[in-house]
Amino acid sequence: GSNYACVKLLDEWVGDPAVAATLRFSVACAAMLPALAYLGTQVDSKYVSWPLARDGLMVGLWFWLGYAVQAVALETSAASLQAFLLSLSVVVCPLLERFLDGKQQPKRAWIAAGLSALGVAALELDGVEDVMSAGLAGGAVLGLLQPICFGVGFWQLEHAMRRHAEPAPSQEGAAGAATTEGGDGVSGDGGSGGLRAVGLPVALTAWNLLAVFVLSVCWMLGSSLGIDGTAPTAGGVAGLSRVVGAIAAEPTAQAALVGTVLWTGLGTTAGCSLVEAAALGELSSSEAT
């Protein structure tokens, strides 16, 4: 919930959603990429293998589309509305599972989806004329792309977690491991067993955030050149330089900006993405949403 309020403030303070996204996701990547490097070099090379990287990058592509839509929509609509529109991913995920995976959904899944859709209708119908007059550029309409992008991302992340998960050890194997090294319950792998338990969600999160960061930089460069329809000097690299320069010149005066970048980067992006990946290793995307 705090993410939407913070992203809206960040967009307003920075003045360009592409620059704000670049700042946010650079912090998220700075937190996750060292962990990925450690996992790939010290624990298991599979974490930096192409099959796992490909799946993580594809998840990142869909998440970036959701994040970009989110940032642009927040420029012209309320944070509370966009947060609520994202709840429609509870409709998208069961539909993907039903029609692409052939998975039968229980009644409660469709009831939940229906209640979510009714909630959005109750929120929006009072201002439907304003929404229609705003056209496709309206933040409320644009925000409806969020649940599609994030929903597909959640669905793909669930498949990636299951595709690359290690098989559960047998009871006999677990008992044997417990007596290794004189029965002290410590294996001789330097503690990598514990890291393996969290390695997959960490690795997939790192790869997906790398894709999000690279695409955000491309978006920022596009705004520098005016490719996205904005004035070439309105944001982009010049905007990033201005913001970083202001922070370096007076870090105390920019404490709110720095705190917001850190919170959205570490908390609502890297942290939430990691928890989502871990949850989708045990739950379906429809259950998780």
Side-chain angles (χ1 to χ4, degrees):
S2 64
N3 177 71
Y4 284 82
C6 287
V7 169
K8 187 170 180 66
L9 286 172
L10 195 59
D11 287 349
E12 291 174 356
W13 292 338
V14 171
D16 181 0
V19 173
T22 301
L23 287 169
R24 170 187 177 186
F25 297 123
S26 64
V27 171
C29 275
M32 297 304 302
L33 290 183
L36 175 64
Y38 180 84
L39 286 169
T41 58
Q42 303 297 322
V43 180
D44 194 330
S45 60
K46 80 167 188 177
Y47 295 119
V48 291
S49 65
W50 172 241
L52 193 148
R54 178 194 57 216
D55 287 351
L57 293 171
M58 183 57 66
V59 170
L61 170 62
W62 284 102
F63 279 179
W64 176 79
L65 289 171
Y67 287 130
V69 166
Q70 174 191 105
V72 174
L74 282 167
E75 289 189 300
T76 56
S77 61
S80 57
L81 170 61
Q82 294 304 321
F84 199 82
L85 290 177
L86 179 59
S87 70
L88 280 176
S89 58
V90 78
V91 179
V92 174
C93 289
L95 288 173
L96 290 171
E97 290 182 7
R98 176 65 185 89
F99 293 107
L100 296 185
D101 293 340
K103 178 182 176 181
Q104 294 292 337
Q105 297 290 347
K107 280 186 178 181
R108 59 183 171 78
W110 299 118
I111 292 173
L115 287 172
S116 179
L118 286 174
V120 174
L123 186 69
E124 281 298 284
L125 284 181
D126 185 52
V128 67
E129 292 181 1
D130 294 334
V131 172
M132 296 304 293
S133 64
L136 293 178
V141 178
L142 191 62
L144 287 171
L145 294 175
Q146 274 192 102
I148 297 174
C149 297
F150 282 116
V152 174
F154 290 141
W155 176 73
Q156 289 197 330
L157 183 54
E158 176 203 347
H159 281 260
M161 284 293 295
R162 300 191 188 284
R163 188 178 300 121
H164 298 287
E166 294 186 6
S170 64
Q171 291 184 352
E172 291 179 2
T179 57
T180 304
E181 298 292 332
D184 59 0
V186 179
S187 65
D189 61 1
S192 65
L195 289 173
R196 286 178 183 276
V198 297
L200 184 55
V202 168
L204 283 172
T205 298
W207 283 116
N208 106 57
L209 289 177
L210 177 61
V212 171
F213 171 67
V214 171
L215 289 168
S216 296
V217 171
C218 293
W219 182 19
M220 180 185 68
L221 293 174
S223 67
S224 292
L225 300 173
I227 295 174
D228 62 353
T230 61
T233 58
V237 177
L240 180 64
S241 299
R242 174 178 54 79
V243 173
V244 173
I247 293 173
E250 295 183 282
T252 305
Q254 303 295 332
L257 173 60
V258 173
T260 303
V261 170
L262 290 176
W263 174 242
T264 54
L266 298 176
T268 67
T269 301
C272 284
S273 295
L274 183 57
V275 171
E276 286 164 358
L280 287 167
E282 300 182 20
L283 301 174
S284 70
S285 57
S286 61
E287 290 170 330
T289 52

